[in-house]
């Protein structure tokens, strides 16, 4: 017997698609029917991925064609499953905002020794000079250096009562509030803690501190991409991250990983940009000369490759190192190339924070939305 395609389609219209309620022809589930003499091939697509649904569909097609068209028909059923996409599980890390803190900026580096803490300290004092209320949390548990750079290594946070609760009052100098594990350890004492212990100490400094009203809280993160970083980002909704690197290829390779960490789907922290530290050396006696000791514009090129902003460069200047060692950040100097360099970089950071807050979803309740009152940035 020669089978007719329309007879097959009419028979298939009597079968309901599993879990949908429509017949398999009108719903579009049957994608093709081919007949040749007493043979028929039926191609069908269903959305139910279960083995039971596949078997039920095949049996119903065989029985219906045998019953309605020809009982001796040779039938082949090709079943394709196109299950609807499951809702995307982002598992995005979310933190709790701290009342009174408008923007939390993480300063990170993939590699140690690139001057991340020096940049953090100078960003902080420059923001303070520009009129912002600033705090610094030294999250480098194993190598805290912020207390030395702010000349407060011998200080200890006081306990204050806030709404009936005992809180740590950050140590303050140069208009910047500072907390660090260095305040609670001896100078010659090594911090030998596993990740959970370090994370607990960080949480105490974050949530048990009387930070008050801050426009910016800078987080001086440890080098690398490890447990401390994840703990910080789980504890706090970070406004954005700044990555510090030297122009050297070895440092750039790790800086690239640092940027990638913040861009992970589960972390999703906006990268405000990259700062190039130790960009070049200029001797005092030859102020027009530039010697690119660690390579030329490596961080700038990395920023271009990764399509993130380049925030500026800091030269190798002896006074920057000396200023950090004696606890008076170089950006406190006036009318010097060093002050100008940090002012330009800080201006770029603030502009990126403003841009980020205008164009991306909020992570905190309060944001900077205008540059009014910031002397280094003109209001547009």
């Amino acid at each position: 017997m020669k089978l007719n395609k329309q007879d097959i389609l009419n028979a298939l219209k009597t079968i309901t698609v599993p879990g949908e309620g429509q017949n398999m022809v009108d719903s579009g589930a049957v994608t093709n029917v081919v007949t040749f003499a007493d043979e028929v091939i039926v191609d069908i697509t269903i959305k139910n991925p279960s083995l039971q649904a596949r078997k039920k569909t095949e049996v119903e097609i065989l029985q219906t064609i045998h019953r309605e068209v020809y009982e001796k028909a040779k039938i082949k059923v090709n079943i394709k499953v196109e299950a609807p996409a499951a809702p995307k599980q982002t598992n995005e890390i979310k933190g709790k905002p701290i009342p009174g803190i408008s923007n939390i900026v993480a300063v990170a580096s993939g590699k140690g020794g690139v001057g991340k803490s020096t940049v953090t300290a100078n960003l902080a004092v420059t923001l303070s000079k520009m009129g912002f209320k600033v705090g610094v949390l030294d999250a480098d548990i194993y190598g805290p250096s912020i207390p030395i750079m702010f000349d407060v290594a011998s200080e200890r946070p006081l306990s204050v009562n806030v709404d009936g609760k005992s809180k740590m009052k950050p140590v303050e100098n140069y208009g910047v509030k500072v907390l660090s594990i260095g305040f609670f350890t001896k100078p010659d004492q090594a911090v030998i803690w596993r990740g959970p212990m370090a994370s607990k100490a960080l949480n105490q400094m974050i949530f048990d501190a009387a930070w008050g009203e801050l426009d910016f809280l800078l987080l001086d993160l440890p080098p690398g991409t490890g447990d401390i970083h994840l703990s910080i980002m789980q504890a706090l909704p970070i406004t954005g991250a700044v990555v510090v690197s030297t122009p050297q290829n070895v440092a750039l390779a790790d800086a690239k990983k640092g940027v990638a960490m913040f861009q992970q789907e589960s972390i999703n922290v906006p990268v405000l940009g990259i700062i190039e530290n130790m960009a070049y050396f200029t001797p005092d006696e030859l102020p027009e000369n530039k010697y690119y000791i660690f390579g030329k514009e490596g961080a700038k090129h990395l920023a271009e490759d990764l399509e993130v902003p380049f925030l500026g460069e800091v030269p190798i200047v002896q006074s920057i190192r000396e200023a950090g060692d004696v606890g008076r950040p170089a950006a406190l100097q006036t009318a010097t190339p060093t002050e100008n360099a940090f002012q330009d970089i800080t201006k770029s950071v603030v502009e990126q924070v403003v841009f980020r807050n205008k164009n991306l979803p909020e992570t905190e309740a309060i944001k900077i939305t205008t540059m009014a009152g910031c002397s280094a940035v003109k209001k547009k």
Side-chain angles (χ1 to χ4, degrees), residues 151-165:
D151 194 23
V152 290
S154 60
E155 302 288 331
R156 295 293 178 269
L158 299 176
S159 177
V160 294
N161 189 289
V162 179
D163 298 328
K165 295 182 180 180

Side-chain angles (χ1 to χ4, degrees), residues 13 54 309:
K13 284 184 179 182
R54 292 166 62 98

Side-chain angles (χ1 to χ4, degrees), residues 48-266:
N48 191 330
S50 68
L51 181 62
Q52 181 182 1
R54 292 166 62 98
K55 191 64 178 175
K56 181 175 183 293
T57 300
E58 182 179 9
V59 170
E60 285 188 340
I61 291 173
L62 294 174
Q63 290 178 343
T64 300
I65 293 175
H66 284 153
R67 183 180 64 249
E68 302 290 337
V69 183
Y70 180 48
E71 63 179 357
K72 294 183 180 180
K74 300 173 183 177
I75 309 166
K76 182 178 181 181
V77 180
N78 298 318
I79 299 177
K80 181 180 179 182
V81 177
E82 286 187 356
K88 194 173 183 181
Q89 300 291 325
T90 60
N91 194 30
E92 187 171 352
I93 295 173
K94 295 290 183 183
K96 298 183 294 182
I98 304 177
I101 298 181
S102 301
N103 296 278
I104 302 175
V105 177
V107 184
S109 68
K111 186 175 181 61
V114 298
K116 170 182 49 61
S117 295
T118 298
V119 169
T120 302
N122 283 282
L123 281 176
V125 297
T126 304
L127 285 168
S128 179
K129 287 169 64 176
M130 292 162 69
F132 292 112
K133 297 175 182 177
V134 188
V136 173
L137 174 64
D138 188 356
D140 195 347
I141 293 292
Y142 305 107
S145 53
I146 290 296
I148 295 174
M149 293 186 174
F150 279 87
D151 194 23
V152 290
S154 60
E155 302 288 331
R156 295 293 178 269
L158 299 176
S159 177
V160 294
N161 189 289
V162 179
D163 298 328
K165 295 182 180 180
S166 180
K167 298 274 189 178
M168 286 183 288
K169 183 181 180 182
V171 176
E172 187 169 346
N173 201 12
Y174 310 127
V176 178
K177 296 178 180 180
V178 177
L179 271 183
S180 170
I181 197 67
F183 292 138
F184 308 100
T185 59
K186 297 178 181 178
D188 57 349
Q189 178 184 353
V191 178
I192 309 173
W193 290 345
R194 292 189 184 273
M197 185 69 175
S199 298
K200 183 178 179 181
L202 277 174
N203 278 337
Q204 286 182 316
M205 288 194 293
I206 293 168
F207 296 108
D208 293 341
W211 289 105
E213 298 289 329
L214 293 179
D215 296 309
F216 288 94
L217 176 63
L218 303 185
L219 307 180
D220 183 26
L221 297 180
T225 54
D227 191 53
I228 298 297
H229 303 75
L230 291 177
S231 298
I232 284 284
M233 287 179 283
Q234 285 175 325
L236 294 170
I238 309 298
T239 306
V242 171
V243 176
V244 180
S245 179
T246 65
Q248 190 176 4
N249 285 339
V250 172
L252 295 172
D254 291 336
K256 187 174 183 178
K257 296 174 185 176
V259 172
M261 174 188 69
F262 291 112
Q263 293 178 338
Q264 284 278 341
E265 187 175 358
S266 61

Side-chain angles (χ1 to χ4, degrees), residues 293-315:
I293 298 173
F294 295 113
K296 186 175 181 180
E297 299 183 340
K300 183 178 181 180
H301 294 149
L302 177 64
E304 292 171 353
D305 291 343
L306 299 179
E307 297 182 346
V308 298
F310 179 64
L311 300 174
E313 58 186 22
V314 182

Side-chain angles (χ1 to χ4, degrees), residues 1 8 10 16 39 47 77-78 96 115 188 192 204 307 323 332 338 359 377:
M1 177 180 177
I8 302 295
N10 290 338
T16 302
E39 297 180 10
K47 295 179 180 179
V77 180
N78 298 318
K96 298 183 294 182
D188 57 349
I192 309 173
Q204 286 182 316
E307 297 182 346
L332 290 169
T338 299
N359 293 279
V377 181

